[in-house]
Amino acid sequence: MTGVRWLVSLIGNLLALTAAFGLLARYVPPQVFWPPAIVALLLPGLLVLTALYALLALFWRRWLSALLPLAVILFAVPVLDQLFAWPGEEEAAPGGPTVTLVTGNQRLFRSYDAHDVDPDRVSRVFQDYGADVVLLQEVRPPKNRLSFIPSIQTAEQLRERHQKEGTLIATYGADLEPVTASFSEPNEYNGYIVTDVQTEIGTLRVINAHLESNQISGMADNMQEDGSYRNRLETFGRMLTGYGRTSRLRAQQAEQIRTAVETSPHPVVLGGDFNDVPSSYTYNQILSPRLRDAWVSRGRGLGATFTGPLPGLRIDYFMVDTSLRVEHIERLSPNWSDHRPLRMVIGKRAETTGE
């Protein structure tokens, strides 16, 4: 029995150390040191296991063995509500007008069998959203043979579109004014667009972001298809180095977005596919004092939005100006994509309505 307890203690403390290493990701820029960003992907599970081991050590009265895991859990307190959302008692709703927004990565409107989605199905989905503003990532450019733009705009309130020529990010609404756009060169696949949107609660500055893609989903699929040990090891190595490179690029994009948020003359709503988790440096750079995470405010649980080869990750977000109130947020069916869209309803906070 003593040997078993020693082994459990060893494993428990190794898990605690690994969790502590992952917690560094939110503080250490990936340009300086990127490996914690990889471990941060597994942080929710690591923290749960660390907490279970701490309880077991206390039950065994192994006080010294419990010190490290308890210290790690204490160190993790600032990030716990971001990883495991559990809102407190809601404020009384102030009433008045609201705005409904949806964000979602569309995966080029390709179904899982690699065929184009039926345009009529796309029309029905966007009409059912009932959204006033829609933020889309990985859509097709207008010159594409099948862009799906008419299908989206069958929803009357989405009759206007902001999409830079040749890029794959688009914002839809009824009254839009493009402000700026910034994309990664040379492919202009990842980046963000800024749009002023006239709504019933006033002008909103909407930032639609698709930050640098990790490009590891395809490699993960290849690892599953190719059974050779050598190929899997080489692919895993490419995944690690690729994640380090893209995490550095996302950190740079996060700094640009933070500047756009802090200089906005209007209340800001930021949404999109960040390709990073809440314990990442990217997330914490974007989450300026002016913004709050809508899922943390009104969601419950992990809020995982990615359903692909590495499921269980929350990488799609709505972040909302502190002058606005989050009435509701929910995850929707993924439909044809490997991302679950988010639907959010916002209004003005009571103190800004004069009530």
Side-chain angles (χ1 to χ4, degrees):
M1 188 64 178
T2 302
V4 172
R5 289 190 177 185
W6 178 88
L7 181 61
V8 171
S9 295
L10 176 63
I11 294 173
N13 279 284
L14 286 175
L15 286 170
L17 284 172
T18 306
F21 188 68
L23 285 168
L24 293 176
R26 68 195 304 260
Y27 302 106
V28 180
Q31 297 93 325
V32 176
F33 189 56
W34 61 263
I38 293 285
V39 180
L41 296 173
L42 308 174
L43 198 54
L46 288 170
L47 289 175
V48 169
L49 292 173
T50 298
L52 290 175
Y53 169 66
L55 291 174
L56 185 61
L58 291 174
F59 177 75
W60 284 342
R61 300 180 183 273
R62 300 179 67 109
W63 314 120
L64 290 178
S65 296
L67 285 179
L68 177 59
L70 289 174
V72 171
I73 296 300
L74 185 63
F75 183 49
V77 167
V79 77
L80 288 180
D81 64 338
Q82 297 167 355
L83 295 175
F84 309 99
W86 194 261
E89 185 177 351
E90 296 187 10
E91 309 166 10
T98 60
V99 177
T100 300
L101 302 96
V102 168
T103 184
N105 183 315
Q106 303 303 300
R107 206 179 65 160
L108 298 175
F109 295 99
R110 287 259 170 80
S111 60
Y112 288 100
D113 60 5
H115 291 93
D116 291 339
V117 179
D118 180 1
D120 290 337
R121 182 185 174 195
V122 174
S123 295
R124 291 193 299 271
V125 167
F126 279 86
Q127 288 173 3
D128 289 345
Y129 283 163
D132 303 300
V133 185
V134 172
L135 292 67
L136 304 181
Q137 308 87 43
E138 284 196 40
V139 296
R140 301 180 184 184
K143 291 184 179 180
N144 191 281
R145 173 187 60 83
L146 183 59
S147 67
F148 291 94
I149 293 172
S151 298
I152 296 168
Q153 292 182 325
T154 55
E156 170 62 22
Q157 69 274 22
L158 305 180
R159 59 184 176 270
E160 293 189 9
R161 173 177 54 87
H162 177 200
Q163 182 177 8
K164 184 182 177 183
E165 181 69 25
T167 64
L168 309 184
I169 303 177
T171 297
Y172 287 81
D175 190 352
L176 308 181
E177 182 179 347
V179 176
T180 188
S182 176
F183 284 82
S184 301
E185 299 292 345
N187 58 19
E188 297 195 334
Y189 183 82
N190 298 106
Y192 63 92
I193 59 175
V194 182
T195 314
D196 282 348
V197 183
Q198 302 302 320
T199 74
E200 292 190 10
I201 61 174
T203 302
L204 300 179
R205 179 148 292 182
V206 175
I207 303 176
N208 184 355
H210 183 203
L211 303 190
E212 196 67 27
S213 300
N214 292 306
Q215 301 175 348
I216 59 177
S217 295
M219 287 188 279
D221 286 334
N222 291 336
M223 286 179 67
Q224 294 175 358
E225 294 172 3
D226 192 325
S228 68
Y229 176 78
R230 180 176 179 180
N231 181 74
R232 291 187 177 187
L233 192 61
E234 290 176 352
T235 302
F236 184 68
R238 291 196 301 271
M239 289 171 66
L240 291 180
T241 55
Y243 195 89
R245 179 186 65 82
T246 57
S247 63
R248 291 191 291 270
L249 291 173
R250 284 193 297 275
Q252 296 171 6
Q253 293 169 328
E255 292 172 1
Q256 296 170 6
I257 290 174
R258 186 180 180 114
T259 299
V261 170
E262 292 177 344
T263 58
S264 171
H266 308 297
V268 176
V269 175
L270 166 63
D273 175 8
F274 292 4
N275 275 307
D276 234 329
V277 292
S279 50
S280 67
Y281 182 82
T282 295
Y283 172 95
N284 287 278
Q285 278 295 104
I286 290 176
L287 196 63
S288 71
R290 185 169 176 176
L291 295 181
R292 54 181 175 156
D293 186 332
W295 185 261
V296 174
S297 296
R298 287 292 177 264
R300 295 189 184 278
L302 287 173
T305 59
F306 186 61
T307 64
L310 300 173
L313 304 179
R314 183 161 81 97
I315 61 175
D316 301 270
Y317 302 88
F318 266 126
M319 294 188 175
V320 181
D321 202 287
T322 53
S323 66
L324 302 172
R325 171 187 164 81
V326 181
E327 301 273 352
H328 175 75
I329 187 168
E330 63 180 323
R331 294 175 298 161
L332 304 174
S333 166
N335 292 304
W336 46 81
S337 177
D338 53 2
H339 290 250
R340 296 187 64 170
L342 295 173
R343 183 178 183 272
M344 176 181 69
V345 180
I346 59 173
K348 284 189 175 182
R349 293 179 67 86
E351 58 265 30
T352 65
T353 62
E355 296 182 8

